[in-house]
Amino acid sequence: MRALAAATMLAGAALPVAAAAQAMSPTRYLEAAGAADLYERAASQMVLESTADPRVREFARMMVADHARGSATLRAAAARARVRVPAAALTPLQTEWIAELRAETGLARDSTYVAQQRAAHARTLPLHQAYAAGGGAAALKAAAARIAPVVARHAELLKAM
């Protein structure tokens, strides 16, 4: 939970993240979005293997499907923009979150998953919103504008969990 506490503090700094995203290159945006998709799919797949909670299971299934679609949307937009999509790789924080999830079982894993997803979405939503508002590649800007409402919906669902 140590990494989660640090991430929660960083999530409160959404305005600097948004400002930085606006100046972000298309490649850097794709790296950040790819890492977010990879983490959220991996964490969700892990939780699907163990959760007994139907709400957590439903949310995790939605995460896997929505983030696979989001990744496909970004790949297609990158092709239209003629921007190479970098290989998706977890950030050090996301790697730590995955390790924390692996160490947990049962209800503790579910609780950690929900808390991590809240923090992850608090970081990812401003990324997509900012790129949609001020990104440099028109096709990626349009893709970010389509993805941001999906991420916002996830964040709202997480508030009720």
Side-chain angles (χ1 to χ4, degrees):
M1 285 303 240
R2 192 184 46 188
L4 185 56
T8 302
M9 287 178 13
L10 289 175
L15 292 177
V17 170
Q22 287 178 337
M24 190 176 283
S25 72
T27 300
R28 181 65 192 113
Y29 168 67
L30 288 168
E31 287 173 352
D37 281 345
L38 180 61
Y39 160 73
E40 291 180 27
R41 283 192 326 262
S44 296
Q45 287 169 334
M46 186 184 312
V47 165
L48 279 171
E49 295 172 6
S50 64
T51 189
D53 185 326
R55 286 182 1 165
V56 172
R57 180 172 298 286
E58 181 180 336
F59 183 81
R61 281 186 182 138
M62 181 182 60
M63 294 277 56
V64 171
D66 286 355
H67 284 279
R69 275 191 298 276
S71 290
T73 297
L74 288 175
R75 281 192 304 275
R80 285 190 305 280
R82 293 196 166 102
V83 176
R84 186 184 72 72
V85 178
L90 296 175
T91 67
L93 175 62
Q94 292 163 335
T95 300
E96 195 169 329
W97 282 351
I98 291 292
E100 287 176 359
L101 274 181
R102 277 195 186 107
E104 300 284 356
T105 59
L107 294 176
R109 178 181 279 177
D110 289 356
S111 178
T112 298
Y113 169 74
V114 170
Q116 286 180 358
Q117 289 299 310
R118 285 178 182 146
H121 283 79
R123 294 169 59 100
T124 303
L125 182 56
L127 170 75
H128 292 297
Q129 289 172 329
Y131 201 85
L140 287 172
K141 233 176 125 165
R146 285 191 306 275
I147 292 168
V150 175
V151 177
R153 188 172 125 253
H154 296 165
E156 284 302 311
L157 291 170
L158 285 161
K159 288 179 185 176
M161 293 181 78

